[in-house]
């Protein structure tokens, strides 16, 4: 692994906000700023004990006027001092305290610097490099928010260095390419030195020997010009690794000799510094205790203020009660007690009703959010892949695998519709359909659709169908499939290395109706007796100790509701660690004179005579395939990229007529990507592709500069219509 070291362990950050100052605290704030500036001077002179004393006094004064901004600055200053004195744990504690007070001020510059300090202490001290990168990215967000160009470039180079340190060269290179040209044109010597070193590391990792040596040479030249010996040591270290990587031991030894020679000079000074730090450490321990006492005094002070306020409030309440008692002594005491009891009961009932209403509203919001956000995206892939297979392989129309895929798509779409309209099920406004179907075929389709779950959990999945059941039945096969699919999915999910069986037995025949008992049995973990009465409630999930089983908690509720539509009910038998059996009985009609229903698929020509070049920004691989097939099927061309940064690069290299932009993406979301596109002066239409409800994102989309929104899954014809209109409007403008 080859990595670049920073120009210093931490950049000491201090600033003063130019706010309008209340006259009462003008002198106090001026004194705090003086103390913090003195701490900076002492820190730069390596007089850490004096710097800590000034910072401590600034913290005391800041607590005295209760100013969160100055408290945050003081804690940040103390954190930097402790980190420089090799106490990274204490430094992190003070940075986090600084962050807690910074949140009370909501000042972006404070966020920028504190997050940057946290990133450096986690990365350069090798505590948690990934966590350091996350903090750097937060610092970058606020640097970009306040448009601090120097901090933006320095933070991005810190991110690059951290990614290179964990061998994630391509991720780091995304940030490096973003600032390379700007640093080369406008950066100072130190910034160009860091850039050259990072470019050398990247070239070495990609086996570009000559290019790497060119960058290292420039970095060495700049380091010598500005007499930055500590960074020159880092460059020598990287060159030693470079020549070892390319198997040139002689040159590696040459730079190792230079490294050792320069290290003796630099480290001799460091030894003196370490001795000074050791002497200061005794005083640091005393200051730690003093600072803790300051915090305790402040907490006690705040507690006394709250207690005093509480006493005043209680005194006022007591006085009011006494006055009311004096005014109402003439009333009948018994009547008053009765009225008070009734009032208390009414108030408690109102509180309970309010809590129940709030809980119901919360559950409903959670349910709708889960369905719209989590199901639409995979549905888009399932429906799209199904249509692609139908279009490209019509000769497989009778394939059992294709039938299973079509069934799964139809089942998923129906399930989503039923969940979104669960009130309709409860109000019994769903009318069962009468369709001719083969029971064996339907259950076989279900078995094929869930085979991957059985394989994943190493389960044996069997089907037993009574031979006395007629080949063709009449009834709502889709609702029956939903019931069995839900029960089978649950059984397979909660069973491992066991058996799951679907059993259909003919129980009786009345006139033309055949009553069939269905059982779904498993040898899984079972359901505790105390939980068996509530598993059919909506949004209920039984807690499992061993594993976290994800789901909406709606499956068994839907099963119960659908079975009731057939004028039946679900029965449950279960024992923990033995297994579970769900059973229900449904009557289906059998009539030999009725013929099987034939459904004709109407093919729709969605092609267009216009040839457009479309850029698709989508991180989901399946959705990439679906969207690409839809676009290419209409004689248009498209380019697929995985994230927003790749989209910006593609726009620099190629001209496009329109952009289809996903919203939820790693690294940078669709809104921020669109803003960067508009900042470049690019005006081509941008259409958002999202699984969110349109009303939830329309305001953000307009603000970001998007032209329209398509909610997945969508009809291809509607997409082509929107594409054509947007490009037409752009050309007309």
């Amino acid at each position: 692994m080859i990595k670049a070291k920073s120009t210093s362990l931490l950049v000491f950050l201090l600033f003063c906000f130019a706010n309008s100052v209340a006259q009462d605290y003008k002198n106090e704030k001026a004194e705090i700023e003086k103390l913090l500036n003195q701490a900076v001077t002492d820190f730069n002179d390596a007089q850490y004990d004096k710097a800590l004393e000034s910072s401590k006094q600034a913290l005391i004064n800041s607590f005295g006027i209760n100013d969160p901004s100055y408290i945050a600055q003081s804690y940040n200053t103390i954190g930097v001092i402790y980190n420089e004195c090799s106490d990274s744990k204490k430094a992190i504690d003070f940075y986090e305290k600084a962050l807690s007070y910074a949140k009370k001020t909501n000042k972006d510059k404070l966020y920028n610097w504190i997050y940057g300090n946290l990133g450096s202490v986690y990365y350069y001290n090798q505590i948690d490099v990934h966590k350091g990168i996350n903090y750097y990215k937060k610092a970058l967000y606020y640097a970009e928010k306040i448009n601090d160009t120097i901090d933006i470039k320095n933070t991005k180079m810190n991110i690059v260095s951290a990614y290179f340190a964990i061998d994630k060269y391509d991720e780091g290179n995304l940030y490096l390419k973003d600032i390379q040209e700007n640093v080369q044109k406008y950066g100072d010597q130190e910034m160009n030195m860091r850039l050259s070193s990072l470019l050398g590391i990247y070239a070495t990792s990609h086996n570009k020997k000559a290019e790497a040596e060119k960058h290292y040479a420039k970095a060495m030249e700049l380091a010598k010009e500005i007499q930055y010996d500590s960074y020159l040591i880092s460059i020598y270290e990287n060159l030693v690794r470079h020549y070892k990587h390319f198997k040139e031991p002689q040159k590696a030894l040459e730079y190792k000799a230079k490294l050792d020679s320069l290290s003796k000079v630099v480290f001799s000074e460091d030894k003196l510094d370490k001795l000074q730090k050791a002497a200061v450490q005794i005083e640091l321990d005393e200051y730690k205790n003093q600072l803790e006492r300051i915090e305790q005094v402040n907490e006690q002070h705040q507690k006394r203020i709250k207690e005093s306020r509480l006493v005043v409030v209680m005194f006022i309440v007591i006085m009011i009660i006494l006055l009311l008692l004096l005014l109402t002594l003439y009333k009948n005491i018994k009547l008053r007690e009765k009225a008070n009891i009734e009032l208390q009961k009414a108030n408690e009932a109102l509180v309970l009703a309010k809590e129940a209403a709030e809980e119901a509203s919360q559950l409903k919001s959670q349910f709708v959010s889960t369905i719209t956000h989590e199901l639409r995206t995979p549905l888009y892939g399932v429906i799209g892949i199904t249509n692609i297979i139908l279009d490209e392989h019509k000769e497989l129309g009778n394939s059992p695998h294709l039938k299973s895929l079509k069934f799964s798509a139809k089942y998923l779409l129906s399930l989503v519709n039923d969940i979104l309209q669960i009130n309709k099920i409860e109000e019994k406004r769903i009318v069962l359909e009468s369709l001719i179907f083969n029971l064996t075929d339907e259950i076989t389709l279900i078995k094929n659709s869930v085979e991957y779950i059985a394989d994943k959990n190493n389960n044996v999945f069997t089907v037993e169908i009574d031979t006395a059941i007629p080949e063709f039945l009449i009834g709502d096969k889709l609702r029956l499939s939903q019931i069995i699919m839900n029960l089978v999915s649950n059984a397979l999910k909660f069973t491992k290395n066991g058996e799951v069986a679907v059993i259909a037995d003919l129980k009786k025949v009345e006139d033309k109706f055949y009553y069939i008992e269905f059982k779904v049995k498993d040898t899984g973990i079972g359901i505790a007796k105390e939980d068996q009465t509530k598993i059919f409630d909506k949004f209920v999930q039984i807690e499992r100790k061993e594993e976290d089983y994800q789901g909406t908690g709606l499956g068994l509720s839907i099963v119960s509701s659908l079975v009731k539509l057939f004028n039946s009910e679900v029965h449950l038998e279960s024992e923990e660690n033995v297994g579970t059996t769900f059973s229900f009985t449904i009557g289906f009609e059998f009539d030999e004179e009725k013929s099987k229903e034939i459904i004709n698929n109407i093919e729709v020509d969605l092609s267009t005579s216009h040839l457009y070049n479309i850029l698709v920004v989508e991180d989901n691989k399946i959705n990439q395939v679906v969207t690409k097939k839809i676009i290419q099927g209409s004689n248009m061309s498209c380019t697929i990229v995985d994230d927003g940064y790749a989209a910006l690069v593609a726009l620099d290299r190629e001209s496009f007529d329109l952009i289809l932009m996903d919203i939820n993406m790693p690294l940078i979301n669709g809104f921020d990507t669109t803003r960067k596109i508009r900042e470049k002066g690019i005006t081509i239409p941008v259409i958002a592709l999202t699984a969110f409800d349109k009303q939830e994102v329309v305001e953000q989309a307009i603000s970001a500069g998007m032209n329209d929104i398509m909610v997945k899954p969508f009809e291809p014809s509607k997409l082509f219509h929107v594409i054509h209109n947007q490009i037409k409007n752009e050309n007309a403008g």
Side-chain angles (χ1 to χ4, degrees):
M1 180 183 70
I2 304 176
K3 72 174 186 176
K5 294 181 179 177
S6 173
T7 55
S8 63
L9 180 63
L10 288 173
V11 179
F12 189 86
L13 300 171
L14 180 65
F15 68 102
C16 297
F17 293 101
N19 292 336
S20 57
V21 182
Q23 189 65 32
D24 292 344
Y25 295 130
K26 185 175 182 180
N27 293 334
E28 288 84 346
K29 292 188 177 184
E31 178 63 21
I32 292 170
E33 293 179 6
K34 180 179 178 182
L35 287 167
L36 292 174
N37 286 325
Q38 183 61 46
V40 173
T41 302
D42 293 335
F43 180 87
N44 291 334
D45 292 338
Q47 297 181 5
Y48 303 124
D49 54 340
K50 292 182 179 180
L52 187 60
E53 177 64 30
S54 298
S55 302
K56 180 197 73 173
Q57 190 59 49
L59 180 63
I60 295 172
N61 294 354
S62 300
F63 274 125
I65 64 174
N66 195 25
D67 189 304
S69 174
Y70 285 112
I71 293 173
Q73 293 181 63
S74 301
Y75 273 136
N76 186 50
T77 305
I78 294 169
V80 175
I81 296 169
Y82 273 111
N83 190 71
E84 189 68 14
C85 293
S86 302
D87 194 342
S88 57
K89 183 179 183 301
K90 200 67 178 177
I92 292 172
D93 290 340
F94 281 112
Y95 287 145
E96 290 178 347
K97 290 178 182 179
L99 190 59
S100 68
Y101 280 94
K103 290 178 180 178
K104 299 179 181 179
T105 68
N106 201 28
K107 292 180 178 178
D108 294 334
K109 195 64 177 178
L110 265 175
Y111 287 139
N112 169 223
W113 286 345
I114 296 172
Y115 280 129
N117 282 346
L118 279 167
S120 294
V121 75
Y122 275 101
Y123 164 41
Y124 290 113
N125 292 318
Q126 296 297 308
I127 299 172
D128 188 337
V129 178
H130 289 91
K131 195 169 186 178
I133 291 173
N134 289 334
Y135 279 125
Y136 278 145
K137 289 182 178 179
K138 289 183 179 180
L140 178 61
Y141 167 79
Y142 288 105
E144 291 176 339
K145 189 175 180 182
I146 61 178
N147 198 26
D148 189 325
T149 56
I150 294 177
D151 270 352
I152 290 172
K153 288 181 282 192
N154 278 324
T155 304
K156 285 187 177 181
M157 281 197 283
N158 283 339
I159 294 174
V160 174
S161 179
Y163 270 127
F164 284 4
I166 56 176
D167 299 330
K168 291 190 175 182
Y169 298 104
D170 292 335
E171 287 89 336
N173 191 45
L174 289 174
Y175 291 90
L176 191 62
K177 290 168 64 177
D178 195 35
I179 60 171
Q180 180 177 347
E181 183 178 352
N182 186 279
V183 171
Q184 289 172 340
K185 286 184 178 181
Y186 307 110
D188 57 18
Q189 287 180 307
E190 182 177 327
M191 201 175 289
N192 271 285
M193 174 189 67
R194 291 186 66 193
L195 175 65
S196 297
S197 182
L198 291 170
L199 289 171
I201 294 171
Y202 184 77
T204 298
S205 70
H206 285 69
N207 296 317
K208 298 180 179 179
K209 182 174 180 296
E211 181 180 337
E213 291 171 359
K214 177 182 176 183
H215 290 305
Y216 285 136
K218 183 176 179 180
M220 281 191 294
E221 179 184 353
L222 291 171
K224 291 175 180 178
E225 286 182 12
I226 61 178
Q227 297 181 348
Y228 211 137
D229 290 341
S230 61
Y231 202 87
L232 189 58
I233 290 173
S234 174
I235 297 170
Y236 286 156
E237 289 176 346
N238 289 327
L239 279 166
V240 170
R241 296 187 185 98
H242 169 82
Y243 284 115
K244 286 182 178 180
H245 177 75
F246 287 104
K247 295 181 172 42
E248 294 189 26
Q250 189 61 39
K251 289 189 176 181
L253 289 172
E254 176 184 338
Y255 280 100
K256 183 65 169 62
K258 292 183 179 183
L259 170 64
D260 293 341
S261 176
L262 184 57
S263 295
K264 289 179 181 179
V265 177
V266 174
F267 291 156
S268 63
E269 297 175 359
D270 288 347
K271 289 178 182 178
L272 294 175
D273 186 53
K274 288 179 181 178
L275 290 173
Q276 183 181 9
K277 287 180 182 177
V280 171
Q281 190 62 46
I282 297 174
E283 296 183 45
L284 289 178
D285 292 337
E286 294 178 356
Y287 290 141
K288 290 178 186 177
N289 295 329
Q290 292 179 21
L291 289 171
E292 290 172 356
R293 286 197 295 271
I294 292 168
E295 294 180 54
Q296 292 174 359
V297 169
N298 179 63
E299 290 176 358
Q300 293 173 358
H301 178 66
Q302 295 296 330
K303 184 177 180 181
R304 290 194 191 99
I305 291 174
K306 291 180 180 178
E307 290 175 348
S308 299
R309 291 174 180 171
L310 181 61
V311 169
V312 172
V313 172
M314 291 179 63
F315 177 78
I316 294 172
V317 171
I318 291 172
M319 289 299 297
I320 293 172
I321 292 173
L322 289 173
L323 289 172
L324 290 173
L325 287 173
L326 290 172
L327 291 173
T328 57
L329 280 176
Y330 68 95
K331 292 185 177 181
N332 186 287
I333 294 176
K334 294 296 182 180
L335 181 62
R336 186 193 53 164
E337 289 178 352
K338 182 179 179 181
N340 285 340
I341 292 172
E342 292 176 351
L343 180 62
Q344 184 178 359
K345 289 181 178 179
N347 185 57
E348 289 175 353
L350 287 173
V351 170
L352 291 174
K354 178 176 178 291
E355 291 176 352
E358 290 175 348
E359 182 179 1
S361 176
Q362 183 179 1
L363 289 173
K364 182 178 179 181
S365 299
Q366 179 183 355
F367 163 70
V368 174
S369 176
T370 300
I371 295 304
T372 55
H373 296 172
E374 300 300 328
L375 294 183
R376 281 177 177 163
T377 295
L379 269 177
Y380 176 68
V382 171
I383 294 172
I385 292 295
T386 303
N387 291 333
I388 289 172
I389 295 175
L390 284 171
D391 290 341
E392 295 184 355
H393 301 282
K394 292 183 174 61
E395 73 279 4
L396 297 178
N398 294 321
S399 167
H401 302 295
L402 184 57
K403 286 182 179 179
S404 296
L405 184 59
K406 289 172 64 178
F407 170 83
S408 296
K410 188 176 182 181
Y411 164 76
L412 282 174
L413 186 57
S414 176
L415 178 60
V416 171
N417 291 335
D418 283 346
I419 293 173
L420 292 176
Q421 301 181 45
I422 196 165
N423 288 332
K424 188 176 180 181
I425 297 176
E426 294 175 345
E427 295 173 4
K428 298 181 180 179
R429 291 189 286 117
I430 290 183
V431 179
L432 295 177
E433 297 179 340
S434 293
L435 301 172
I436 298 175
F437 68 98
N438 182 290
L439 181 61
T440 302
D441 289 346
E442 294 301 318
I443 296 180
T444 301
L445 285 173
I446 293 173
K447 180 179 180 182
N448 293 338
S449 299
V450 298
E451 199 71 46
Y452 74 97
I453 304 178
D455 293 340
K456 177 183 176 183
N457 290 337
N458 196 27
N459 292 324
V460 177
F461 184 19
T462 60
V463 175
E464 300 175 21
I465 300 177
D466 192 342
T467 56
I469 298 174
E471 182 179 6
F472 294 102
L473 299 171
I474 298 174
D476 196 327
K477 64 176 184 178
L478 183 58
R479 306 300 177 190
L480 174 64
S481 296
Q482 284 182 279
I483 295 169
I484 298 176
M485 174 68 88
N486 270 304
L487 294 176
V488 169
S489 297
N490 268 1
L492 290 171
K493 183 167 63 173
F494 295 109
T495 303
K496 290 190 175 180
N497 302 312
E499 297 180 4
V500 175
V502 176
I503 303 170
D505 286 326
L506 180 62
K507 287 300 178 182
K508 64 179 179 178
V509 179
E510 293 182 359
D511 194 12
K512 293 184 178 181
F513 283 87
Y514 284 64
Y515 288 87
I516 304 170
E517 182 186 47
F518 296 90
K519 289 184 179 180
V520 177
K521 302 175 62 176
D522 67 67
T523 58
I525 60 178
I527 303 169
K529 288 190 179 297
E530 61 268 23
D531 295 328
Q532 292 180 14
T533 58
K534 60 184 179 182
I535 61 170
F536 293 104
D537 294 338
K538 294 192 297 293
F539 306 109
V540 169
Q541 288 181 295
I542 307 304
E543 294 182 359
R544 313 285 181 178
K545 296 180 180 179
E546 290 80 13
E547 296 188 44
D548 182 19
Y549 298 95
Q550 300 296 327
T552 62
L554 284 171
L556 293 179
S557 174
I558 292 174
V559 166
S560 178
S561 298
L562 291 177
V563 169
K564 288 178 182 178
L565 290 177
F566 288 97
N567 297 318
S568 183
E569 61 182 12
V570 181
H571 299 282
L572 167 64
E573 296 178 6
S574 184
E575 183 178 350
E576 287 187 279
N577 301 317
V578 175
T580 302
T581 299
F582 289 92
S583 62
F584 57 94
T585 302
I586 296 177
F588 293 103
E589 185 181 3
F590 171 64
D591 191 341
E592 293 179 343
E593 296 179 359
K594 291 187 178 180
S595 60
K596 202 171 184 179
E597 183 176 343
I598 301 174
I599 301 174
N600 294 319
N601 294 322
I602 302 174
E603 304 227 350
V604 180
D605 183 8
L606 300 176
S607 62
T608 175
S609 59
H610 299 281
L611 181 62
Y612 298 131
N613 190 15
I614 309 297
L615 175 62
V616 179
V617 188
E618 170 66 72
D619 64 302
N620 186 291
K621 298 300 182 183
I622 295 177
N623 290 352
Q624 287 179 359
V625 172
V626 172
T627 304
K628 183 176 181 180
K629 287 291 184 181
I630 290 174
I631 292 174
Q632 291 181 342
S634 62
N635 297 324
M636 293 187 287
S637 62
C638 73
T639 298
I640 307 286
V641 294
D642 292 328
D643 57 68
Y645 290 112
L648 295 172
V649 174
L651 287 167
D652 288 336
R653 296 176 177 176
E654 187 177 349
S655 176
F656 297 95
D657 297 297
L658 182 137
I659 302 171
L660 297 179
M661 178 76 67
D662 189 21
I663 290 179
N664 277 350
M665 295 186 295
L667 300 180
I668 180 172
N669 63 42
F671 296 133
D672 291 339
T673 302
T674 303
R675 289 189 183 94
K676 290 185 177 293
I677 291 172
R678 297 309 186 212
E679 288 172 2
K680 286 175 168 286
I682 298 173
T683 62
I684 62 174
V686 178
I687 300 176
L689 296 184
T690 178
F692 286 95
D693 184 77
K694 188 172 183 178
Q695 296 303 318
E696 293 180 13
V697 298
V698 64
E699 186 175 341
Q700 289 177 280
I702 293 174
S703 174
M706 292 178 168
N707 300 86
D708 208 338
I709 301 169
M710 292 291 295
V711 178
K712 297 181 287 191
F714 49 77
E715 292 294 331
S717 58
K718 185 177 180 181
L719 175 65
F720 302 144
H721 178 73
V722 172
I723 290 175
H724 178 73
N725 286 345
Q726 289 295 338
I727 295 177
K728 182 179 178 181
N729 293 339
E730 173 68 11
N731 294 336

